[in-house]
Amino acid sequence: MEEYLAGFSANVREIIEKFNLKAQIRHMAGKDVLLAVLEKFISPYINLTPEDREDPDGNHLPGLSNLSMGYGFEELIRKFNEENNEEAGEHFTPREVIELMTHLVFDPVRDRLPPVMTIYDPACGSGGRLTESQNFIFDANACFVKVLEPCPAAYISQ
């Protein structure tokens, strides 16, 4: 396993490290669920890439956008929180609300954005606010964005 994971590019190895993936793999192997999880991820009937593909039966599988990946991640957070008896919406803000919040923050200063901006979300979960803010700023052709991620889980959404 170590050799296989070491064979990825530097940016993928950085993600593996941020998510402490090696320890997660060992934990899942110890619980005898690793193979079942891997089979789901490598199934030719799901497409987790950004490109459109076809399954073995010729069915179209649309690519997975960053937004869709964020929704999936948020759903996992919701499910795990429900299992821990936490409020269903305690750690989830719908993307439509995030988009509204982004417009409320940036619309009034759209024409006066600085050339470089740092965005920080101290309650970052899936990185939705960071992604929406970055998209808004790029759409305004305003500036370079540096995203500070307070938690490793948000790292992958950049």
Side-chain angles (χ1 to χ4, degrees):
M1 172 188 72
E2 298 284 335
E3 289 179 23
Y4 176 75
L5 294 176
F8 284 101
S9 64
N11 60 334
V12 172
R13 287 193 312 270
E14 187 175 359
I15 291 169
I16 289 168
E17 178 184 320
K18 293 270 186 186
F19 276 92
N20 200 13
L21 191 58
K22 292 175 186 176
Q24 296 297 329
I25 290 170
R26 283 190 290 274
H27 176 73
M28 290 168 50
K31 299 285 185 182
D32 283 334
V33 296
L34 181 59
L35 181 60
V37 170
L38 288 176
E39 285 175 340
K40 298 290 184 193
F41 275 95
I42 64 170
S43 170
Y45 292 95
I46 64 168
N47 182 12
L48 299 175
T49 72
E51 293 87 28
D52 289 356
R53 301 252 167 106
E54 285 189 359
D55 71 14
D57 300 328
N59 297 312
H60 178 256
L61 300 173
L64 188 64
S65 68
N66 285 343
L67 178 62
S68 296
M69 184 65 84
Y71 277 132
F73 182 69
E74 288 167 351
E75 179 65 12
L76 288 173
I77 291 171
R78 186 189 66 76
K79 281 188 169 279
F80 286 118
N81 287 335
E82 283 179 355
E83 288 177 11
N84 292 322
N85 295 320
E86 294 184 15
E87 294 289 325
E90 189 173 339
H91 300 278
F92 173 74
T93 306
R95 287 294 168 119
E96 297 78 12
V97 173
I98 293 171
E99 185 177 358
L100 174 62
M101 292 168 58
T102 301
H103 280 273
L104 291 173
V105 168
F106 291 112
D107 272 340
V109 294
R110 174 182 223 128
D111 298 330
R112 299 185 310 277
L113 293 173
V116 175
M117 182 181 295
T118 299
I119 300 172
Y120 179 69
D121 181 359
C124 184
S126 66
R129 283 186 188 86
L130 299 174
T131 302
E132 286 299 320
S133 296
Q134 184 174 357
N135 290 342
F136 180 93
I137 291 166
F138 285 156
D139 287 348
N141 293 320
C143 61
F144 171 77
V145 178
K146 178 181 179 186
V147 175
L148 300 174
E149 83 278 346
C151 63
Y155 181 81
I156 199 164
S157 67
Q158 295 183 27

